[in-house]
Amino acid sequence: MSSAVSTEGTKSVAAGELTRSQRLDRLPFNKLHGRLLGGSGIGWALDAMDVGLISFLMVAIKQEWGLSTAQISWIASVGFIGMAVGASMGGYLADRIGRRNVFALTLIVYGLATGFSALSTGFWMLIVFRFVIGLGLGAELPVASTLVSEYAPARIRGRMVVLLEAFWAVGWILAALIGYYVVPQDNGWRWALVLGVVPALYAIYVRRGLPESVRFLEKVGRIDEAEASVRRFEEASGIEPVPSPTPPPAAKPSIKALWEKRFAGRTVALWLTWFGVNFSYYGAFLWIPTFLVAQGFPMAKSFEFTLWITLAQLPGYAVAAVLIEKIGRRFTLAAFLLGSAASAIAFGQSSSESAILLTGCLLSFFNLGAWGALYAVTPEVYPTTMRATGSGSATAFGRIASIVGPLLVPWVHDNYGTGTTFVLIAVSFAVAMLAALGLPEWKGKELQSA
């Protein structure tokens, strides 16, 4: 492969002038990319497993403790309050102390908290643990996607981030399997939470096995480490290393910078997209098992339906991974959000088993494809100095919707029915679609440095 780099929106440079970021961008996909994707993806799947489990646990806990719908809603929403705080803190810390360190720390926090939550003796004890779990979960997601995005070659960066997001489906499938086979047993919900200790153990591998972001290392002046990391990736591709100039000192991350004239429009569009997608996703998918039980389906049957609906996430990610490098991030995201809105309305009107399964699978397909595209575009909106901060802030704003959704949706369902509930969810998808059209298109371009 040629050592010169020429990407859309980036001028060609001679080999001796390549920055380390450009050297990474020119590489083919190699085993180290695969290891980074797989290592980050497993953490992502464990995260998803924890989030997905709560939708099954709510049914069992409500029956065992005799809780009201409002109390169950708070068990779901308090985790998202923690996620909102964690996303904001995690993104900022990742720009200060490194992506890998924060990723490992978040796995420890939510893994241990999930395990201890299995010992909960009542509603308030579980509420406290769910908040702490949320802190870890919220901080992890924007950090992991930023780390993968910063190592991925420019021409396949979007696809790699969508594939990372696809591990979310793996985690939800694990949650659905645990929900189907474990939760209905005596104390099954407690044993399901015990499995949440796994992320804490996995953090040991993350801390030792995954590389730190080259862009972060350069930003904080750890040039020798940055150079060594780039050379490992070049050697894995059989490419001769070339010298790189030392980058100028970088500015410290600042949330205030998100609202400078250059970035304000992007920030508004990104935050609204995150808000709409979070409201719709968590408002719908956390409550689907409960809604199905309310319609008269046995708990085991509702869990079975949810498992099949969850499986439809995988082809959604696969299609998004192809389209995102064909037609771009923005239009892929908008198209999947439009499909999500239409599917939500159809699901709300379904009553037969076959219709529920079909429309539920379509909703899952389009919604999770949209998530993949959203995570791909988010790290590309801002430059290195504020990438994790910007991603974390957008995620944190979206988490406000994930708090409101699980609280508002059951109230709407109880008072106005399933059809109206999913019209509300469709409207939220439509708002996110319109906002997504205002995002920058960065397909095939080098990530911004400043």
Side-chain angles (χ1 to χ4, degrees), residues 330-345:
R330 183 171 54 201
F331 291 114
T332 298
L333 176 56
F336 273 85
L337 287 171
L338 179 61
S340 299
S343 300
I345 293 174

mmCIF file with all atom_site columns, all heavy atoms in Angstrom, residues 330-345:
data_model
loop_
_atom_site.group_PDB
_atom_site.id
_atom_site.type_symbol
_atom_site.label_atom_id
_atom_site.label_alt_id
_atom_site.label_comp_id
_atom_site.label_asym_id
_atom_site.label_entity_id
_atom_site.label_seq_id
_atom_site.pdbx_PDB_ins_code
_atom_site.Cartn_x
_atom_site.Cartn_y
_atom_site.Cartn_z
_atom_site.occupancy
_atom_site.B_iso_or_equiv
_atom_site.pdbx_formal_charge
_atom_site.auth_seq_id
_atom_site.auth_comp_id
_atom_site.auth_asym_id
_atom_site.auth_atom_id
_atom_site.pdbx_PDB_model_num
ATOM 1   N N   . ARG A 1 330 ? -24.824 10.697 7.860  1.00 0.00 ? 330 ARG A N   1
ATOM 2   C CA  . ARG A 1 330 ? -26.013 11.515 8.093  1.00 0.00 ? 330 ARG A CA  1
ATOM 3   C C   . ARG A 1 330 ? -27.262 10.903 7.473  1.00 0.00 ? 330 ARG A C   1
ATOM 4   O O   . ARG A 1 330 ? -28.304 10.777 8.135  1.00 0.00 ? 330 ARG A O   1
ATOM 5   C CB  . ARG A 1 330 ? -25.770 12.924 7.539  1.00 0.00 ? 330 ARG A CB  1
ATOM 6   C CG  . ARG A 1 330 ? -26.901 13.888 7.773  1.00 0.00 ? 330 ARG A CG  1
ATOM 7   C CD  . ARG A 1 330 ? -26.471 15.305 7.384  1.00 0.00 ? 330 ARG A CD  1
ATOM 8   N NE  . ARG A 1 330 ? -25.958 15.343 5.996  1.00 0.00 ? 330 ARG A NE  1
ATOM 9   C CZ  . ARG A 1 330 ? -25.174 16.306 5.536  1.00 0.00 ? 330 ARG A CZ  1
ATOM 10  N NH1 . ARG A 1 330 ? -24.783 17.285 6.332  1.00 0.00 ? 330 ARG A NH1 1
ATOM 11  N NH2 . ARG A 1 330 ? -24.782 16.285 4.274  1.00 0.00 ? 330 ARG A NH2 1
ATOM 12  N N   . PHE A 1 331 ? -27.172 10.504 6.211  1.00 0.00 ? 331 PHE A N   1
ATOM 13  C CA  . PHE A 1 331 ? -28.367 9.979  5.538  1.00 0.00 ? 331 PHE A CA  1
ATOM 14  C C   . PHE A 1 331 ? -28.699 8.553  5.987  1.00 0.00 ? 331 PHE A C   1
ATOM 15  O O   . PHE A 1 331 ? -29.868 8.169  6.015  1.00 0.00 ? 331 PHE A O   1
ATOM 16  C CB  . PHE A 1 331 ? -28.196 10.061 4.025  1.00 0.00 ? 331 PHE A CB  1
ATOM 17  C CG  . PHE A 1 331 ? -28.205 11.466 3.508  1.00 0.00 ? 331 PHE A CG  1
ATOM 18  C CD1 . PHE A 1 331 ? -27.073 12.028 2.939  1.00 0.00 ? 331 PHE A CD1 1
ATOM 19  C CD2 . PHE A 1 331 ? -29.338 12.257 3.620  1.00 0.00 ? 331 PHE A CD2 1
ATOM 20  C CE1 . PHE A 1 331 ? -27.065 13.343 2.482  1.00 0.00 ? 331 PHE A CE1 1
ATOM 21  C CE2 . PHE A 1 331 ? -29.348 13.578 3.171  1.00 0.00 ? 331 PHE A CE2 1
ATOM 22  C CZ  . PHE A 1 331 ? -28.205 14.115 2.600  1.00 0.00 ? 331 PHE A CZ  1
ATOM 23  N N   . THR A 1 332 ? -27.683 7.773  6.354  1.00 0.00 ? 332 THR A N   1
ATOM 24  C CA  . THR A 1 332 ? -27.953 6.455  6.924  1.00 0.00 ? 332 THR A CA  1
ATOM 25  C C   . THR A 1 332 ? -28.715 6.604  8.238  1.00 0.00 ? 332 THR A C   1
ATOM 26  O O   . THR A 1 332 ? -29.722 5.924  8.474  1.00 0.00 ? 332 THR A O   1
ATOM 27  C CB  . THR A 1 332 ? -26.640 5.688  7.168  1.00 0.00 ? 332 THR A CB  1
ATOM 28  O OG1 . THR A 1 332 ? -25.965 5.486  5.921  1.00 0.00 ? 332 THR A OG1 1
ATOM 29  C CG2 . THR A 1 332 ? -26.914 4.339  7.819  1.00 0.00 ? 332 THR A CG2 1
ATOM 30  N N   . LEU A 1 333 ? -28.232 7.503  9.087  1.00 0.00 ? 333 LEU A N   1
ATOM 31  C CA  . LEU A 1 333 ? -28.897 7.749  10.369 1.00 0.00 ? 333 LEU A CA  1
ATOM 32  C C   . LEU A 1 333 ? -30.329 8.229  10.168 1.00 0.00 ? 333 LEU A C   1
ATOM 33  O O   . LEU A 1 333 ? -31.268 7.713  10.798 1.00 0.00 ? 333 LEU A O   1
ATOM 34  C CB  . LEU A 1 333 ? -28.089 8.772  11.169 1.00 0.00 ? 333 LEU A CB  1
ATOM 35  C CG  . LEU A 1 333 ? -28.660 9.239  12.504 1.00 0.00 ? 333 LEU A CG  1
ATOM 36  C CD1 . LEU A 1 333 ? -28.927 8.062  13.429 1.00 0.00 ? 333 LEU A CD1 1
ATOM 37  C CD2 . LEU A 1 333 ? -27.704 10.237 13.164 1.00 0.00 ? 333 LEU A CD2 1
ATOM 38  N N   . ALA A 1 334 ? -30.523 9.193  9.275  1.00 0.00 ? 334 ALA A N   1
ATOM 39  C CA  . ALA A 1 334 ? -31.869 9.721  9.035  1.00 0.00 ? 334 ALA A CA  1
ATOM 40  C C   . ALA A 1 334 ? -32.810 8.655  8.477  1.00 0.00 ? 334 ALA A C   1
ATOM 41  O O   . ALA A 1 334 ? -33.979 8.571  8.881  1.00 0.00 ? 334 ALA A O   1
ATOM 42  C CB  . ALA A 1 334 ? -31.795 10.912 8.081  1.00 0.00 ? 334 ALA A CB  1
ATOM 43  N N   . ALA A 1 335 ? -32.309 7.824  7.555  1.00 0.00 ? 335 ALA A N   1
ATOM 44  C CA  . ALA A 1 335 ? -33.142 6.777  6.960  1.00 0.00 ? 335 ALA A CA  1
ATOM 45  C C   . ALA A 1 335 ? -33.585 5.755  8.002  1.00 0.00 ? 335 ALA A C   1
ATOM 46  O O   . ALA A 1 335 ? -34.753 5.340  8.032  1.00 0.00 ? 335 ALA A O   1
ATOM 47  C CB  . ALA A 1 335 ? -32.376 6.090  5.835  1.00 0.00 ? 335 ALA A CB  1
ATOM 48  N N   . PHE A 1 336 ? -32.674 5.355  8.877  1.00 0.00 ? 336 PHE A N   1
ATOM 49  C CA  . PHE A 1 336 ? -33.028 4.367  9.910  1.00 0.00 ? 336 PHE A CA  1
ATOM 50  C C   . PHE A 1 336 ? -33.968 4.964  10.945 1.00 0.00 ? 336 PHE A C   1
ATOM 51  O O   . PHE A 1 336 ? -34.827 4.258  11.488 1.00 0.00 ? 336 PHE A O   1
ATOM 52  C CB  . PHE A 1 336 ? -31.762 3.819  10.564 1.00 0.00 ? 336 PHE A CB  1
ATOM 53  C CG  . PHE A 1 336 ? -31.167 2.639  9.836  1.00 0.00 ? 336 PHE A CG  1
ATOM 54  C CD1 . PHE A 1 336 ? -30.305 2.832  8.770  1.00 0.00 ? 336 PHE A CD1 1
ATOM 55  C CD2 . PHE A 1 336 ? -31.492 1.343  10.199 1.00 0.00 ? 336 PHE A CD2 1
ATOM 56  C CE1 . PHE A 1 336 ? -29.760 1.765  8.082  1.00 0.00 ? 336 PHE A CE1 1
ATOM 57  C CE2 . PHE A 1 336 ? -30.960 0.262  9.514  1.00 0.00 ? 336 PHE A CE2 1
ATOM 58  C CZ  . PHE A 1 336 ? -30.095 0.464  8.450  1.00 0.00 ? 336 PHE A CZ  1
ATOM 59  N N   . LEU A 1 337 ? -33.834 6.252  11.220 1.00 0.00 ? 337 LEU A N   1
ATOM 60  C CA  . LEU A 1 337 ? -34.763 6.887  12.155 1.00 0.00 ? 337 LEU A CA  1
ATOM 61  C C   . LEU A 1 337 ? -36.159 7.002  11.554 1.00 0.00 ? 337 LEU A C   1
ATOM 62  O O   . LEU A 1 337 ? -37.174 6.850  12.255 1.00 0.00 ? 337 LEU A O   1
ATOM 63  C CB  . LEU A 1 337 ? -34.226 8.266  12.554 1.00 0.00 ? 337 LEU A CB  1
ATOM 64  C CG  . LEU A 1 337 ? -33.018 8.248  13.495 1.00 0.00 ? 337 LEU A CG  1
ATOM 65  C CD1 . LEU A 1 337 ? -32.439 9.645  13.650 1.00 0.00 ? 337 LEU A CD1 1
ATOM 66  C CD2 . LEU A 1 337 ? -33.404 7.675  14.851 1.00 0.00 ? 337 LEU A CD2 1
ATOM 67  N N   . LEU A 1 338 ? -36.242 7.261  10.247 1.00 0.00 ? 338 LEU A N   1
ATOM 68  C CA  . LEU A 1 338 ? -37.540 7.285  9.575  1.00 0.00 ? 338 LEU A CA  1
ATOM 69  C C   . LEU A 1 338 ? -38.193 5.906  9.636  1.00 0.00 ? 338 LEU A C   1
ATOM 70  O O   . LEU A 1 338 ? -39.393 5.775  9.932  1.00 0.00 ? 338 LEU A O   1
ATOM 71  C CB  . LEU A 1 338 ? -37.362 7.730  8.122  1.00 0.00 ? 338 LEU A CB  1
ATOM 72  C CG  . LEU A 1 338 ? -38.643 7.775  7.274  1.00 0.00 ? 338 LEU A CG  1
ATOM 73  C CD1 . LEU A 1 338 ? -39.649 8.757  7.859  1.00 0.00 ? 338 LEU A CD1 1
ATOM 74  C CD2 . LEU A 1 338 ? -38.305 8.158  5.826  1.00 0.00 ? 338 LEU A CD2 1
ATOM 75  N N   . GLY A 1 339 ? -37.406 4.852  9.369  1.00 0.00 ? 339 GLY A N   1
ATOM 76  C CA  . GLY A 1 339 ? -37.932 3.491  9.475  1.00 0.00 ? 339 GLY A CA  1
ATOM 77  C C   . GLY A 1 339 ? -38.365 3.160  10.892 1.00 0.00 ? 339 GLY A C   1
ATOM 78  O O   . GLY A 1 339 ? -39.361 2.459  11.112 1.00 0.00 ? 339 GLY A O   1
ATOM 79  N N   . SER A 1 340 ? -37.635 3.684  11.884 1.00 0.00 ? 340 SER A N   1
ATOM 80  C CA  . SER A 1 340 ? -37.996 3.458  13.286 1.00 0.00 ? 340 SER A CA  1
ATOM 81  C C   . SER A 1 340 ? -39.345 4.092  13.612 1.00 0.00 ? 340 SER A C   1
ATOM 82  O O   . SER A 1 340 ? -40.177 3.484  14.305 1.00 0.00 ? 340 SER A O   1
ATOM 83  C CB  . SER A 1 340 ? -36.919 4.041  14.203 1.00 0.00 ? 340 SER A CB  1
ATOM 84  O OG  . SER A 1 340 ? -35.666 3.422  13.998 1.00 0.00 ? 340 SER A OG  1
ATOM 85  N N   . ALA A 1 341 ? -39.568 5.309  13.126 1.00 0.00 ? 341 ALA A N   1
ATOM 86  C CA  . ALA A 1 341 ? -40.834 6.005  13.385 1.00 0.00 ? 341 ALA A CA  1
ATOM 87  C C   . ALA A 1 341 ? -42.011 5.239  12.797 1.00 0.00 ? 341 ALA A C   1
ATOM 88  O O   . ALA A 1 341 ? -43.038 5.036  13.464 1.00 0.00 ? 341 ALA A O   1
ATOM 89  C CB  . ALA A 1 341 ? -40.775 7.423  12.813 1.00 0.00 ? 341 ALA A CB  1
ATOM 90  N N   . ALA A 1 342 ? -41.867 4.794  11.545 1.00 0.00 ? 342 ALA A N   1
ATOM 91  C CA  . ALA A 1 342 ? -42.951 4.039  10.896 1.00 0.00 ? 342 ALA A CA  1
ATOM 92  C C   . ALA A 1 342 ? -43.203 2.722  11.617 1.00 0.00 ? 342 ALA A C   1
ATOM 93  O O   . ALA A 1 342 ? -44.359 2.306  11.818 1.00 0.00 ? 342 ALA A O   1
ATOM 94  C CB  . ALA A 1 342 ? -42.595 3.792  9.429  1.00 0.00 ? 342 ALA A CB  1
ATOM 95  N N   . SER A 1 343 ? -42.144 2.042  12.024 1.00 0.00 ? 343 SER A N   1
ATOM 96  C CA  . SER A 1 343 ? -42.279 0.753  12.710 1.00 0.00 ? 343 SER A CA  1
ATOM 97  C C   . SER A 1 343 ? -42.935 0.920  14.076 1.00 0.00 ? 343 SER A C   1
ATOM 98  O O   . SER A 1 343 ? -43.713 0.065  14.513 1.00 0.00 ? 343 SER A O   1
ATOM 99  C CB  . SER A 1 343 ? -40.907 0.097  12.875 1.00 0.00 ? 343 SER A CB  1
ATOM 100 O OG  . SER A 1 343 ? -40.304 -0.134 11.626 1.00 0.00 ? 343 SER A OG  1
ATOM 101 N N   . ALA A 1 344 ? -42.629 2.026  14.766 1.00 0.00 ? 344 ALA A N   1
ATOM 102 C CA  . ALA A 1 344 ? -43.227 2.262  16.078 1.00 0.00 ? 344 ALA A CA  1
ATOM 103 C C   . ALA A 1 344 ? -44.744 2.412  15.971 1.00 0.00 ? 344 ALA A C   1
ATOM 104 O O   . ALA A 1 344 ? -45.496 1.850  16.776 1.00 0.00 ? 344 ALA A O   1
ATOM 105 C CB  . ALA A 1 344 ? -42.610 3.513  16.711 1.00 0.00 ? 344 ALA A CB  1
ATOM 106 N N   . ILE A 1 345 ? -45.193 3.152  14.964 1.00 0.00 ? 345 ILE A N   1
ATOM 107 C CA  . ILE A 1 345 ? -46.641 3.311  14.773 1.00 0.00 ? 345 ILE A CA  1
ATOM 108 C C   . ILE A 1 345 ? -47.282 1.963  14.468 1.00 0.00 ? 345 ILE A C   1
ATOM 109 O O   . ILE A 1 345 ? -48.333 1.611  15.023 1.00 0.00 ? 345 ILE A O   1
ATOM 110 C CB  . ILE A 1 345 ? -46.912 4.319  13.643 1.00 0.00 ? 345 ILE A CB  1
ATOM 111 C CG1 . ILE A 1 345 ? -46.469 5.727  14.076 1.00 0.00 ? 345 ILE A CG1 1
ATOM 112 C CG2 . ILE A 1 345 ? -48.401 4.324  13.275 1.00 0.00 ? 345 ILE A CG2 1
ATOM 113 C CD1 . ILE A 1 345 ? -46.563 6.766  12.980 1.00 0.00 ? 345 ILE A CD1 1
#
